[in-house]
Amino acid sequence: QVQLVESGGGLVQSGGSLRLSCAASGLTFSRATMTWHRQAPGKERELVASISSTESITNYANSVKGRFAISRDNAKNTVYLQMNSLKPEDTSVYYCHARRTLSGINIDYWGQGTQVTVSS
């Protein structure tokens, strides 16, 4: 059974930092593309950052470029999201996502989410 467990969310003041972690189990983590998404109340879920299985390719939403950094530790089956210079508009539930592609078929897994609240 695949599990993605996020941690590290909380309440922080504008300009502050948080580091989210997502611990994965039950899948070949080193072969999974890992992403962080977020969803604010009344809004669609959006992609925040992604990192390839080999760590060589990262991508970010324009809204977080230069402030957020995604990384992974394949030895610990964990992906991280370092969030700096946080703004009130970053307030959302943040979700960890894993994608494995097997025989051309994408298989997606989601965590339960962790709340990030940025106060002004």
Side-chain angles (χ1 to χ4, degrees):
Q1 182 179 359
V2 175
Q3 281 193 314
L4 301 176
V5 180
E6 302 99 335
S7 61
L11 174 64
V12 64
Q13 288 188 332
S14 181
S17 297
L18 283 174
R19 188 194 196 201
L20 304 184
S21 300
C22 171
S25 60
L27 79 163
T28 308
F29 180 80
S30 61
R31 296 186 180 180
T33 297
M34 301 300 298
T35 61
W36 286 96
H37 297 246
R38 67 186 181 186
Q39 187 168 20
K43 295 188 177 181
E44 292 186 356
R45 190 171 296 191
E46 63 172 346
L47 174 66
V48 175
S50 64
I51 185 167
S52 64
S53 57
T54 61
E55 305 177 57
S56 61
I57 300 173
T58 58
N59 285 294
Y60 298 92
N62 287 335
S63 58
V64 306
K65 278 182 182 176
R67 300 189 297 122
F68 290 12
I70 188 171
S71 61
R72 64 190 295 164
D73 185 337
N74 285 345
K76 295 183 178 179
N77 287 2
T78 301
V79 62
Y80 305 97
L81 185 67
Q82 178 67 43
M83 306 186 294
N84 300 324
S85 302
L86 283 161
K87 305 175 182 180
E89 51 263 44
D90 295 317
T91 296
S92 285
V93 178
Y94 284 72
Y95 296 91
C96 177
H97 166 262
R99 170 167 286 182
R100 286 293 319 277
T101 301
L102 301 172
S103 300
I105 299 173
N106 292 329
I107 304 172
D108 296 304
Y109 305 99
W110 291 92
Q112 298 276 35
T114 185
Q115 176 71 46
V116 171
T117 302
V118 184
S119 64
S120 57

